Amino acid sequence: MLTHSLSLQLLSKHPSFSSSSPPLVLSNTPSRFRCQAGQTGFFTKLGRLIKEKAKSDVDKLFSGFTKTRENLAVIDELLLYWNLSDTDRILDELEEALLVSDFGPKITIKIVESLRDDIYAGKLKSGSEIKDALKKSVLNFLTSKGLKTELQLGFRKPAVIMIVGVNGGGKTTSLGKLANRLKKEGAKILMAAGDTFRAAASDQLEIWAERTGCEIVVAEKEKAKASSVLSQAVKKGKEGGFDIVLCDTSGRLHTNYSLMEELISCKKVISKVVAGAPNEILLVLDGTTGLNMLPQAREFNEVVGVTGFILTKLDGSARGGCVVSVVDELNIPVKFVGVGEGVDDLQPFDAEAFVDAIFS
């Protein structure tokens, strides 16, 4: 048990874990740079492994976007017998299909007008060419700004990832699934139960800790300050040789300003323990809400500076176009998407795979 002002308790699910990670350095590296150089190499390799995994899990992504793909299947029917004289009617129906899938008015109009210009300029002469141009346009919205979809974990251990969001969006579950994925790639993970408002949150996270073989820090008494829990967890992560500390936080409405202020406190105490942390602040958004997620995303970003999105429940929604809208509107990358209820169904986001999944 950890002894401190809030009587936090460390629950070690796998005491056989070693207290330090093996060095990841070259022997001729100057000693004062050894730690940081080795850690940089570890996180770079981790990011690469996760990205490669995303490429190999295209089938999961494909099945996860079935409802959105079915919504957009009308586009194939429209373009199958396309001819120039029907251009305006077909583009109007294509516009409607994109709007229904929550691409949003701004993006939809840009896409449709670009296609219209290219068709009348003689650049697109068949249905298949229009379909390819449509896919290329959507991909361009996701990639043109050079946003990095892989986790940016810095060069110091432990890297710290804060998970934030509103109630019911799948925040704690997403943290558990992320821990599972990172641990499978060889990272030593410490969870921090910073959701001190919801009674069942710590219990839920402890179940995930046991399920994934990770260690966890929880508050021993009720109504502990989230900032104290997270501070002690990050200290434990630093002292115990952990690679990554995953910090859960209480779900809150973006309109509840006192709770939003608490996130600022959490961010500050973490940075005092590890300079430059948290490395990532991931906002969990419920994909079934579609474009309604934009106001909360803006507010969270203004308060704490969101570095990436986790979009959940997309397998149960036909509104997958919101992925494009949220990236374009806020210039923040989607890092992971939830495409099922299984422990492995939190998928690293890959723009090309996503476009192929919604436009079969």
Side-chain angles (χ1 to χ4, degrees):
M1 185 179 292
L2 293 171
T3 305
H4 49 78
S5 59
L6 282 171
S7 301
L8 296 176
Q9 181 183 31
L10 175 69
L11 302 175
S12 175
K13 302 299 179 185
H14 280 257
S16 60
F17 285 0
S18 62
S19 61
S20 60
S21 301
L24 299 165
V25 296
L26 297 174
S27 59
N28 60 353
T29 306
S31 60
R32 62 196 174 119
F33 294 126
R34 266 183 203 162
C35 184
Q36 289 185 0
Q39 290 165 9
T40 302
F42 175 82
F43 289 135
T44 302
K45 181 182 177 185
L46 183 66
R48 188 176 69 249
L49 286 170
I50 291 173
K51 200 166 186 179
E52 287 171 359
K53 185 70 173 171
K55 298 284 187 185
S56 67
D57 279 350
V58 170
D59 288 345
K60 261 189 202 300
L61 198 68
F62 190 82
S63 63
F65 282 99
T66 298
K67 290 190 176 182
T68 299
R69 187 168 57 256
E70 289 172 352
N71 236 19
L72 294 169
V74 66
I75 292 173
D76 288 326
E77 297 172 20
L78 290 170
L79 297 178
L80 184 61
Y81 301 109
W82 174 83
N83 62 69
L84 189 60
S85 62
D86 276 344
T87 294
D88 289 336
R89 177 185 65 81
I90 287 173
L91 288 179
D92 285 347
E93 293 189 39
L94 187 151
E95 180 179 310
E96 184 180 344
L98 293 175
L99 288 171
V100 166
S101 295
D102 266 16
F103 276 83
K106 179 181 168 186
I107 287 176
T108 297
I109 290 169
K110 281 183 181 178
I111 291 172
V112 171
E113 291 310 309
S114 175
L115 291 175
R116 193 189 310 275
D117 290 345
D118 286 347
I119 289 168
Y120 284 124
K123 295 177 183 177
L124 304 175
K125 299 177 181 178
S126 68
S128 61
E129 287 182 358
I130 295 170
K131 174 81 175 286
D132 288 343
L134 170 62
K135 291 173 69 173
K136 186 176 179 182
S137 181
V138 172
L139 183 62
N140 188 55
F141 277 111
L142 293 168
T143 59
S144 63
K145 293 166 184 174
L147 301 173
K148 295 185 182 296
T149 58
E150 61 269 20
L151 291 174
Q152 303 298 302
L153 298 178
F155 56 88
R156 290 185 181 92
K157 289 187 182 181
V160 182
I161 300 174
M162 268 180 72
I163 308 291
V164 301
V166 301
N167 290 309
K171 185 170 46 60
T172 302
T173 299
S174 294
L175 187 151
K177 290 180 179 181
L178 180 57
N180 177 67
R181 181 169 287 278
L182 293 169
K183 186 152 189 303
K184 279 187 174 180
E185 303 301 345
K188 186 179 179 184
I189 306 296
L190 179 64
M191 294 182 181
D195 185 348
T196 56
F197 282 90
R198 189 164 60 95
S202 288
D203 293 340
Q204 185 183 356
L205 202 62
E206 283 186 57
I207 291 169
W208 273 107
E210 190 166 359
R211 190 175 181 184
T212 57
C214 296
E215 295 184 38
I216 181 171
V217 170
V218 301
E220 188 177 61
K221 64 180 183 180
E222 293 181 7
K223 296 184 180 178
K225 282 189 176 180
S227 56
S228 294
V229 177
L230 298 187
S231 175
Q232 291 298 326
V234 176
K235 286 175 184 174
K236 176 64 187 176
K238 191 174 181 181
E239 294 163 2
F242 287 88
D243 297 314
I244 300 170
V245 180
L246 294 176
C247 298
D248 196 13
T249 58
S250 301
R252 63 206 69 215
L253 290 173
H254 57 287
T255 52
N256 189 324
Y257 297 109
S258 62
L259 284 178
M260 293 296 281
E261 287 291 319
E262 184 193 62
L263 287 180
I264 298 174
S265 299
C266 291
K267 186 177 177 182
K268 283 180 179 176
V269 298
I270 289 171
S271 67
K272 286 179 181 177
V273 181
V274 177
N279 305 84
E280 292 273 13
I281 299 176
L282 302 182
L283 173 60
V284 177
L285 296 168
D286 182 344
T288 63
T289 64
L291 291 175
N292 293 325
M293 66 175 64
L294 285 173
Q296 60 179 266
R298 286 193 191 98
E299 192 66 38
F300 272 95
N301 185 44
E302 285 176 15
V303 172
V304 289
V306 173
T307 61
F309 298 121
I310 298 176
L311 298 187
T312 63
K313 308 178 187 179
L314 287 167
D315 55 307
S317 170
R319 307 170 83 175
C322 65
V323 173
V324 187
S325 295
V326 77
V327 172
D328 183 66
E329 288 277 338
L330 298 172
N331 293 332
I332 297 170
V334 175
K335 305 250 174 174
F336 294 91
V337 289
V339 292
E341 295 183 3
V343 68
D344 294 318
D345 288 335
L346 185 71
Q347 293 294 304
F349 183 70
D350 181 83
E352 286 187 34
F354 166 76
V355 172
D356 286 339
I358 62 172
F359 297 109
S360 59

